[in-house]
Amino acid sequence: DIQMSQSPSSLSASVGDRVTITCRASQGISNYLAWFQQKPGKVPKLLIYDASTLQSGVPSRFSGTGSGTDFTLTISSLRPEDVATYYCQNYNSVPPLTFGGGTKVEIK
Amino acid sequence: QVQLQESGPGLVKPSGTLSLTCAVSGGSISSSNWWSWVRQSPGKGLEWIAEIYHDGGTNYNPSLTSRVTISVDKSKNQFSLRLTSVTAADTAVYYCARGWRYYGSGSVFDSWGQGTLVTVSS
């Protein structure tokens, strides 16, 4: 199975800060990587797929980069409504589909 | 806009069987999508359980495959999950989700149900 690891597991940043979350795959997955946002008590929401393609309706302050084993999700200017846990997901092959452990983003 | 709605018992006894159904509305379960179950234990991350295509094709998480069955009912536009021999470790919010994929890839989940909490307890 391909393992997905995220870092950091949590972070605290100020409104307006640039925030970067890293996701690493245990083996190469090309660009078959998605990012999800899960606000407290809510359903996961697809933000980015194919490592860098923004899902329709997602604000442009979110961006994704990477290919192979190393990926990043960046929030260019953190807003209070971005408080959430962010998960990466590998869809290079199935089974299984695997998620990272999550990164909790809070406001300082 | 497709909508997914999970239903099923919120409480299951240890060693019993968890059964959930996901009703799909606003779209056809016979579309070119895969339909998945994903769970989230309290305070934990996301775990993919299984997926099914309308022609009956299935994929299972190897860590659960001996206890899981996923099925589809095209006439009712719904799919179901059955998990046997449950323990407290199976307590989680269970989500159903729609996935699309490229040829040869896995699924990207673009629509999710609201989730249903299933507690395993006597």
Side-chain angles (χ1 to χ4, degrees):
Chain A
D1 298 357
I2 298 175
Q3 307 300 319
M4 308 300 294
S5 58
Q6 287 183 233
S7 61
S9 56
S10 65
L11 65 90
S12 181
S14 299
V15 172
D17 281 356
R18 184 181 184 86
V19 169
T20 298
I21 298 168
T22 297
C23 177
R24 176 163 290 174
S26 60
Q27 57 186 272
I29 59 170
S30 185
N31 67 333
Y32 292 133
L33 185 100
W35 289 98
F36 293 87
Q37 175 194 63
Q38 186 177 32
K39 295 183 178 181
K42 300 297 185 182
V43 177
K45 173 187 173 183
L46 178 64
L47 295 178
I48 288 169
Y49 61 93
D50 293 351
S52 61
T53 302
L54 218 58
Q55 175 73 346
S56 176
V58 173
S60 59
R61 63 181 181 276
F62 291 93
S63 64
T65 61
S67 183
T69 60
D70 295 313
F71 303 86
T72 60
L73 171 69
T74 299
I75 308 172
S76 61
S77 180
L78 186 68
R79 298 179 63 159
E81 59 265 37
D82 300 333
V83 168
T85 300
Y86 294 83
Y87 294 94
C88 60
Q89 181 227 331
N90 149 51
Y91 55 97
N92 178 66
S93 61
V94 60
L97 299 168
T98 50
F99 293 88
T103 296
K104 187 174 184 179
V105 174
E106 298 176 319
I107 300 291
K108 193 180 295 183
Chain B
Q1 179 82 358
V2 71
Q3 292 189 316
L4 296 87
Q5 180 65 57
E6 305 89 350
S7 62
L11 181 65
V12 181
K13 287 183 167 42
S15 76
T17 296
L18 179 160
S19 296
L20 296 173
T21 295
C22 180
V24 179
S25 59
S28 174
I29 204 162
S30 296
S31 62
S32 55
N33 292 107
W34 284 74
W35 305 92
S36 276
W37 288 97
V38 178
R39 70 181 181 179
Q40 186 169 35
S41 300
K44 302 294 186 182
L46 300 164
E47 180 181 30
W48 173 77
I49 301 170
E51 66 178 357
I52 192 164
Y53 197 64
H54 61 79
D55 65 358
T58 57
N59 289 301
Y60 293 96
N61 190 322
S63 68
L64 295 166
T65 188
S66 64
R67 299 193 292 130
V68 173
T69 303
I70 190 171
S71 59
V72 65
D73 186 335
K74 291 187 287 185
S75 68
K76 295 182 178 179
N77 218 39
Q78 65 185 33
F79 63 106
S80 298
L81 174 74
R82 188 168 176 267
L83 179 67
T84 61
S85 305
V86 297
T87 69
D90 295 309
T91 294
V93 174
Y94 285 77
Y95 296 100
C96 56
R98 183 183 75 172
W100 58 263
R101 58 168 60 182
Y102 301 113
Y103 179 79
S105 82
S107 293
V108 179
F109 305 118
D110 62 351
S111 293
W112 296 65
Q114 287 302 303
T116 186
L117 174 63
V118 178
T119 301
V120 178
S121 176
S122 55

